[in-house]
Amino acid sequence: MQIVHDVHDFEACRSSYLPKIPLALEGNPEHRPVAPPEPVSLEASRCFPHLGDLPSVVFTGGSASSRSALRVGVILSGGPAPGGHNVIGGLFDGLQRAGVAGSLVGFRGGVSGLLTNDVRELEETVVHGYRNTGGFDMIGTGRTRLETEAQFSKALEVARERGLTGLVIVGGDDSNTNACALAERARAAGSPLCVVGVPKTIDGDLRGQRIETSFGFDTACKTYSGIIGNIHRDAVSMRKYWHFIKIMGRSASHIALECALQTHPTLVLISEEISRRELALHDLVDHIADVICYRGNRGENFGSVLIPEGIVEFVPEMRALITELNEALVAHAGELAALETLPHKREFVTGCLSPAPSGLFRRLPREIANQLILDRDPHGNVQVAKIDIQRLFLELVENRLHTMTQRGVYRGTFSPQTHYLGYEGRCAPPSNFDADYAYALGLTSAFLLRDGLSGMMATVRNLARPAAEWEAGGTPLARMMEFNRRHGRDVPVIRKALVNLEGPVFQSLQSQRDHWSRTTRFRYPGPLQYFGPQEICERTTLTLELESRR
Ligand code: FBP
């Protein structure tokens, strides 16, 4: 079915925004290796013999010459992140500058579009219509991964049929791991295809030595912080509600941490801290209830609790339960499918669990137990976005407060509200930062392909500085790999970067959070601003600012 797009005045105005371009990416820049090259691990050079010894590169202004003919494909992979369309805009413009206009195609629906050879020709009119817009709807996205040998062969076959010399994969840790594997296979097969990865995810967990942040994180955090600020204003106006707010972020708590620093909630849970301190569910519930009690007994019956959605897999007893559930669901898939009702399925699964997980599973609210057994993504992972973890905490806290009231410890009133901040943030129109950063990543990808630098992640650094001073280049994906033992062999993976509890961002939270709990210190950032004063529109995240001061 055709989707009709009625353009809003905001979009019309925003489409003419011109992303700021780093000086290093002006003209047709030349690349130079970063010396000395970082050491490559033995496993990486074994696994990627054709890519392992590549150095990182940076671009410096100049007038490099183009390769004769470039035909490039682009894939958007995984969850949307604000700025995806600007990556394509930058890529398109970069190819034009390299003298290869009109040679870009987008594979529809993510990697599956590559496997089924389903493309959209990306001409100027198409690309222009999406500049500075959120979402991935220009070509769509998907969560299919390149996994089997047959899929890799098919991908190379489609690239050959289309005459592609370049492929840009815009994605998170998994997609970039696959980009590296495809680049290696292309080289090994003597294919002219160069593959470049671009760091995308609102979760902010794709970062490393040469990657300061992924695009999308800035916009998502600012969007959520604006909404949390509004909730705070309501809380302090009505003085009668406790708000339990779940925030997107599949695994790491970077988004919750950034939003906390922006908005000063009464409480924020950080998954990585919970895991490190091995806090049990009841420890967290007791802590929340104690703060509610402290404030309630002083007449302050309101507050906010930020809960990262990935928390379910970091609370040790929940993690143990999920691990056993995952195994049971695979081992007994047939028997479970034959059971018709949810209570029967729950009962059956409970019988497969060892004593502690089974006890916890029985104590969980029914809806949460149902969500834990039903919802798995195509790769067998729990879909944390679908688990109402905020309700779980609310119910457990409510029970605890009830007991405290009976014992005469708690004399306040508890009236809760729940919220989930997820999808409204990951497709917002990109902030100025993300519009600029994503565009620069697109330009960088074009120049990496122009220079035949395959197996690279496009990188743009010095991001806390003005855009003109950003450094652009590429870092070999193979150097970012760690090796995990799976099914008896070492498998390369780009590890998710979790919150560093010793780092300046978490430490900043630590130094302030007690004040936020005992006294009300809410901040109201207001909505993400696209037009207006520089100190509002050009400001990046506190995460980036604090980390860049190191
Ligand atoms: P990516 O890692 O692919 O960028 O996606 C992140 C994310 O937005 C998570 O924050 C969230 O848990 C998940 O996607 C939701 O996925 P789905 O689109 O399948 O609901």
Side-chain angles (χ1 to χ4, degrees), residues 208-240:
Q209 231 190 347
R210 302 191 71 78
I211 301 158
E212 294 172 4
T213 187
S214 48
F215 77 81
F217 177 71
D218 185 271
T219 310
C221 290
K222 286 174 179 161
T223 307
Y224 300 141
S225 297
I227 299 171
I228 295 166
N230 296 349
I231 293 173
H232 280 168
R233 195 65 98 173
D234 192 274
V236 84
S237 302
M238 297 305 290
R239 306 177 78 86
K240 65 173 181 182

Side-chain angles (χ1 to χ4, degrees), residues 402-476:
H402 185 64
T403 314
M404 290 164 88
T405 306
Q406 283 177 333
R407 282 208 246 116
V409 178
Y410 174 50
R411 297 180 300 281
T413 53
F414 181 61
S415 182
Q417 298 280 354
T418 56
H419 313 263
Y420 174 36
L421 303 183
Y423 299 97
E424 53 275 76
R426 73 177 191 181
C427 272
S431 60
N432 287 356
F433 173 84
D434 273 330
D436 299 346
Y437 177 39
Y439 186 80
L441 286 169
L443 280 178
T444 305
S445 310
F447 299 133
L448 289 169
L449 294 177
R450 178 203 64 191
D451 294 350
L453 293 167
S454 190
M456 291 282 190
M457 165 91 83
T459 56
V460 176
R461 303 174 68 223
N462 291 344
L463 294 169
R465 315 259 331 138
E469 297 171 32
W470 290 354
E471 177 195 280
T475 201

Side-chain angles (χ1 to χ4, degrees), residues 207 212-213 217-222 225 254-265 433 463-464 503-509 511-512 516 523-525 535-536 538-550:
R207 58 173 83 174
E212 294 172 4
T213 187
F217 177 71
D218 185 271
T219 310
C221 290
K222 286 174 179 161
S225 297
H254 297 294
I255 300 180
L257 180 52
E258 169 68 21
C259 292
L261 292 175
Q262 294 291 352
T263 63
H264 299 184
F433 173 84
L463 294 169
V505 190
F506 181 75
Q507 289 303 321
S508 170
L509 172 76
S511 65
Q512 308 179 65
W516 304 347
R523 293 216 308 170
Y524 315 107
E535 61 273 30
I536 308 288
E538 304 303 326
R539 189 96 190 256
T540 173
T541 56
L542 282 166
T543 303
L544 199 56
E545 277 182 31
L546 289 166
E547 280 181 350
S548 69
R549 280 189 213 148
R550 283 205 279 181

Side-chain angles (χ1 to χ4, degrees), residues 65-301:
S65 56
S66 316
R67 294 209 306 166
S68 46
L70 288 180
R71 185 160 173 80
V72 173
V74 59
I75 293 175
L76 300 175
S77 181
H85 291 154
N86 274 29
V87 173
I88 298 182
L91 176 61
F92 181 88
D93 294 350
L95 293 175
Q96 278 206 324
R97 276 210 235 150
V100 286
S103 58
L104 182 62
V105 294
F107 287 97
R108 291 181 203 267
V111 166
S112 60
L114 174 63
L115 299 175
T116 56
N117 198 354
D118 183 8
V119 302
R120 181 174 190 186
E121 288 287 338
L122 299 179
E123 290 146 2
E124 170 65 39
T125 46
V126 175
V127 175
H128 187 68
Y130 289 90
R131 287 185 194 264
N132 308 311
T133 59
F136 277 8
D137 46 321
M138 185 198 299
I139 52 175
T141 183
R143 292 205 181 273
T144 302
R145 294 183 198 163
L146 285 175
E147 271 165 332
T148 64
E149 280 308 319
Q151 286 173 322
F152 280 108
S153 305
K154 182 69 189 170
L156 289 180
E157 186 187 313
V158 170
R160 191 176 53 247
E161 274 173 31
R162 295 223 156 253
L164 295 187
T165 52
L167 180 66
V168 176
I169 300 184
V170 181
D173 46 343
D174 284 333
S175 310
N176 279 289
T177 302
N178 291 334
C180 188
L182 185 62
E184 170 63 31
R185 281 171 173 80
R187 276 281 150 87
S191 155
L193 184 74
C194 291
V195 186
V196 164
V198 172
K200 170 238 69 163
T201 175
I202 63 160
D203 293 359
D205 55 10
L206 179 52
R207 58 173 83 174
Q209 231 190 347
R210 302 191 71 78
I211 301 158
E212 294 172 4
T213 187
S214 48
F215 77 81
F217 177 71
D218 185 271
T219 310
C221 290
K222 286 174 179 161
T223 307
Y224 300 141
S225 297
I227 299 171
I228 295 166
N230 296 349
I231 293 173
H232 280 168
R233 195 65 98 173
D234 192 274
V236 84
S237 302
M238 297 305 290
R239 306 177 78 86
K240 65 173 181 182
Y241 289 128
W242 268 90
H243 296 273
F244 284 62
I245 308 167
K246 178 173 94 162
I247 308 187
M248 211 171 229
R250 204 203 172 285
S251 192
S253 304
H254 297 294
I255 300 180
L257 180 52
E258 169 68 21
C259 292
L261 292 175
Q262 294 291 352
T263 63
H264 299 184
T266 321
L267 285 159
V268 56
L269 304 180
I270 299 295
S271 306
E272 291 81 347
E273 180 190 22
I274 292 164
S275 173
R276 159 88 65 90
R277 293 176 56 200
E278 298 195 356
L279 297 175
L281 210 46
H282 73 82
D283 295 322
L284 303 173
V285 169
D286 286 355
H287 177 56
I288 299 171
D290 285 348
V291 171
I292 294 175
C293 174
Y294 175 88
R295 291 172 62 93
N297 290 351
R298 284 159 183 74
E300 307 273 272
N301 290 300

Side-chain angles (χ1 to χ4, degrees), residues 364-410:
L364 290 176
R366 225 184 11 223
E367 288 74 26
I368 304 284
N370 291 344
Q371 288 161 354
L372 282 174
I373 53 174
L374 284 185
D375 301 316
R376 291 292 181 277
D377 74 8
H379 309 287
N381 299 315
V382 175
Q383 295 191 61
V384 289
K386 291 190 180 169
I387 297 177
D388 291 331
I389 195 75
Q390 69 283 26
R391 292 206 166 276
L392 173 66
F393 277 101
L394 187 160
E395 286 191 28
L396 297 176
V397 166
E398 203 159 30
N399 292 343
R400 176 89 187 107
L401 289 173
H402 185 64
T403 314
M404 290 164 88
T405 306
Q406 283 177 333
R407 282 208 246 116
V409 178
Y410 174 50

